[in-house]
Amino acid sequence: MQAKLRAALLRPLSIICLGLVGLGAQAHEPGAHVHGAAVLRVVVDGNTLNAELESPLDNILGYEHAPGTPQEQQAVKLAVAALRKPGGILLPTPAAQCTLQKVSLASAALTPAMLGETGPATPPSPDEPAGHADLDGDFSWQCAKPEFLHSLRVDLFLAFPRLHKMQVEVAGPKGQSAATLTESHRTVQW
């Protein structure tokens, strides 16, 4: 039930955020799949921090199909380990004492088992162009001192060098905002 509530809050707030900051609807239109770029939606609600990642699979693995070689299978294992590591790639303000509670990963090109998930495979999205696959990630933290939570450092660029730019949308206690992160500017503040 909590996941459904979080999802119900996350989508409308990120849509509001998009409208308010003038990013437009193109981020959700077919064809928005851009190699080297990703989208991160962040929602701060009391002591809970949620982040939703949408990235072309190429940014993460260097390819966008089911792994066929041992090298491709190893790339999946390394990427999943990096994405699931607490304190690894998404780092909330240290003073807020946030603990990673949950990571969910999905991709139409990868089986749930490859991603450390259970359940049926993710069907291809009708919005994804043929031959292109995304990786979607949902991350959730509980923060012991949410009054100190004011930023998220995004070290995805360090773990996945094919990623060069990230649009970040934030819905938090001070309202909505947006930022563009790069390899040299990896922290979003609110």
Side-chain angles (χ1 to χ4, degrees), residues 36-185:
V39 174
L40 185 69
R41 291 177 193 85
V42 178
V43 175
V44 181
D45 183 18
N47 68 341
T48 302
L49 171 64
N50 293 301
E52 178 185 284
L53 172 69
E54 290 181 28
S55 174
L57 195 56
D58 182 76
N59 294 342
I60 307 300
L61 299 177
Y63 60 90
E64 296 185 334
H65 55 268
T69 67
Q71 294 84 3
E72 290 175 343
Q73 292 169 359
Q74 183 64 17
V76 171
K77 288 178 185 176
L78 292 172
V80 169
L83 290 164
R84 290 188 173 282
K85 181 180 178 184
I89 54 157
L90 297 171
L91 304 157
T93 313
Q97 300 177 7
C98 299
T99 304
L100 186 62
Q101 300 293 306
K102 182 178 177 187
V103 176
S104 297
L105 303 173
S107 175
L110 304 173
T111 67
M114 289 177 194
L115 297 168
E117 299 287 334
T118 58
T122 303
S125 167
D127 293 341
E128 283 183 9
H132 293 280
D134 285 342
L135 177 77
D136 298 322
D138 290 314
F139 305 83
S140 180
W141 295 262
Q142 290 295 311
C143 303
K145 297 185 177 184
E147 64 274 18
F148 295 110
L149 181 61
H150 59 77
S151 66
L152 182 67
R153 191 173 84 210
V154 179
D155 284 347
L156 285 158
F157 300 101
L158 303 176
F160 306 109
R162 296 176 71 91
L163 179 62
H164 303 291
K165 182 170 88 171
M166 180 174 291
Q167 289 302 123
V168 182
E169 305 156 7
V170 178
K174 295 180 182 177
Q176 293 82 30
S177 62
T180 300
L181 300 183
T182 63
E183 297 152 272
S184 60
H185 176 69

